[in-house]
Amino acid sequence: MRNEKEVKVRMNEPNKKMPFAEPKQGSRRVVVMGGSFNPPTLAHLRLMRAAVDALGAEKGIFVPSNHAYVERKMRRQRQEKEVLPEDMRLEMLAAMCKEDSRLAVDTCEYGRDPSAKTFETMETIQEKYPEAELYFVAGGDKLAVIPRWHRKEEFLQRFRLLVTRREGTSPESVIEKQPFLKQHADAFVLLAEPEGIENISSTRVRSLLRAGDERVAEQLHPLVWEILLREGRLNRNADITSFRGAYDFLSNFYATPVEYEGLVYQNAEAAFQAQKCLDRPEREGFCELPANRAKRLGRQVKLRGDWEEIKTELMLEIVRAKFTQNEELAARLLATGDRRLVEGNTWHDVFWGVDQRTGQGENHLGRILMQVRNELKERAAGEK
């Protein structure tokens, strides 16, 4: 058993302490994080930094899996076409490490048999840092499979496991209940998962890239994002199915002045809802309203008798006004190219948009936006 002392570790609870082994005389601490990194995300970076900070480690090393292993893993998910090349994953990891001299990448798993085990990886790192005490980062969900690991006894005797702990989970209870883990409890160190990474994952990044959704940039280091763009990994031909994030300007809720029939509204939604009223004074009551309040008020007014017959044409005129009165918004609409615009929603609006749950909807707002986009293209072509 190792001699132990208490060292404060960053936890969700204040002043929470966990046992650390006494470092060997003259030794350093090195954190190792393995994975596919397909692609690497801000979650990987923030977790590594949190681990290095908490341990006072000299080095944090990312070890990307080899291509054959990642391909086999992705094939099980039927996503083998989304496996990024080894050199590209290496470039992204290296770019992510640039601004922090404590971080590095080791390609010891490249060229290896895909069946090679984590133990061999840690042995290789140990040879490069013979005086270091190695800590391998593992998610709390991995605890249950550790008893099936290759050379598990030797692994836990020679190395330590830095287990990430999400708020509301209890790795301690898993260790306590599993005899093998409990026997080697002093090999585990718990680290609170950094805030803000719970919704970031490589799987989600790939999904957003596939959908051509530029909100994916929020989950990536800027240099990683640049590499993905350079390599054409963002599907620029995919339908735009959400008017949020990078495409929030397509929504009628987007805050931008819209002048229509002599009145200036704060957004297209207010302009549209105001047209439910025939009296100008009633319409004026919508001018200063934010979109959500305008929509709410629009449900309370007495509806003009011809509303159902004219509402689509009114929407076209208001959306046209929104984009022709604002050059920046017009340029952003044109920048969507020929991509299909779909007002996907979760509130079951199947007239103006498409219900994301069922995939059903007439998508009139999306169609109007595409019509206005075509008009802008024709106007731009005529001005040349």
Side-chain angles (χ1 to χ4, degrees), residues 84-319:
L84 301 175
E86 284 185 347
D87 58 350
M88 185 177 171
R89 289 186 289 126
L90 172 59
E91 182 185 5
M92 289 188 290
L93 282 168
M96 203 165 68
C97 294
K98 272 185 179 179
E99 60 193 39
D100 192 334
S101 61
R102 301 172 302 169
L103 307 185
V105 187
D106 194 297
T107 58
C108 62
E109 292 193 4
Y110 280 14
R112 256 178 30 184
D113 188 311
S115 63
K117 307 300 182 183
T118 303
F119 184 86
E120 282 75 30
T121 296
M122 295 295 279
E123 274 193 319
T124 301
I125 301 295
Q126 188 76 81
E127 289 172 4
K128 297 177 181 180
Y129 297 88
E131 299 299 320
E133 189 173 33
L134 302 190
Y135 291 76
F136 185 77
V137 179
D141 57 336
K142 302 296 183 186
L143 285 173
V145 301
I146 289 174
R148 301 198 299 272
W149 274 15
H150 175 66
R151 297 172 73 175
K152 57 184 181 293
E153 294 268 3
E154 192 175 354
F155 189 103
L156 295 179
Q157 288 169 2
R158 292 183 57 183
F159 313 117
R160 307 211 71 197
L161 274 173
L162 191 61
V163 181
T164 57
R165 182 178 187 273
R166 285 191 173 182
E167 189 172 2
T169 66
S170 178
E172 302 97 322
S173 63
V174 177
I175 294 170
E176 180 68 25
K177 292 175 183 177
Q178 217 290 333
F180 176 78
L181 300 182
K182 185 176 181 179
Q183 179 186 350
H184 297 277
D186 66 333
F188 299 96
V189 176
L190 302 187
L191 174 71
E193 184 177 86
E195 292 183 5
I197 72 169
E198 59 275 2
N199 295 318
I200 301 177
S201 71
S202 294
T203 300
R204 176 156 174 75
V205 165
R206 291 194 301 272
S207 175
L208 291 170
L209 288 171
R210 196 184 313 125
D213 192 333
E214 294 190 10
R215 288 177 297 175
V216 67
E218 299 168 5
Q219 304 202 17
L220 300 165
H221 187 283
L223 294 177
V224 171
W225 175 229
E226 285 182 16
I227 293 168
L228 289 167
L229 286 177
R230 184 196 72 201
E231 297 298 322
R233 294 292 170 167
L234 180 70
N235 184 1
R236 295 191 180 277
N237 296 316
D239 295 348
I240 295 172
T241 58
S242 174
F243 297 170
R244 295 182 179 180
Y247 301 109
D248 60 352
F249 69 95
L250 297 173
S251 169
N252 284 344
F253 273 47
Y254 187 79
T256 185
V258 177
E259 182 179 352
Y260 185 69
E261 293 193 344
L263 294 177
V264 178
Y265 302 89
Q266 300 307 303
N267 50 79
E269 185 67 25
F272 177 71
Q273 295 294 336
Q275 306 318 305
K276 292 179 176 180
C277 308
L278 289 172
D279 294 335
R280 184 180 177 88
E282 283 190 88
R283 292 182 182 178
E284 290 174 348
F286 286 83
C287 288
E288 299 301 323
L289 294 182
N292 59 338
R293 288 179 58 193
K295 187 169 185 176
R296 190 158 56 244
L297 180 59
R299 291 172 177 157
Q300 299 169 6
V301 299
K302 183 179 179 181
L303 202 62
R304 57 193 290 176
D306 60 350
W307 179 248
E308 291 302 321
E309 290 76 29
I310 67 168
K311 66 180 182 182
T312 305
E313 184 62 28
L314 287 171
M315 181 68 84
L316 171 60
E317 291 176 0
I318 289 168
V319 171

Side-chain angles (χ1 to χ4, degrees), residues 320-362:
R320 182 185 288 131
K322 170 183 172 179
F323 286 97
T324 56
Q325 293 169 15
N326 189 312
E327 290 185 4
E328 180 187 350
L329 291 186
R332 293 175 71 181
L333 179 58
L334 286 169
T336 62
D338 295 320
R339 296 169 69 180
R340 194 165 75 99
L341 306 180
V342 180
E343 200 270 331
N345 63 77
T346 57
W347 48 91
H348 316 301
D349 183 346
V350 294
F351 181 81
W352 295 114
V354 171
D355 188 328
Q356 290 181 337
R357 184 179 60 84
T358 65
Q360 301 298 310
E362 297 179 39

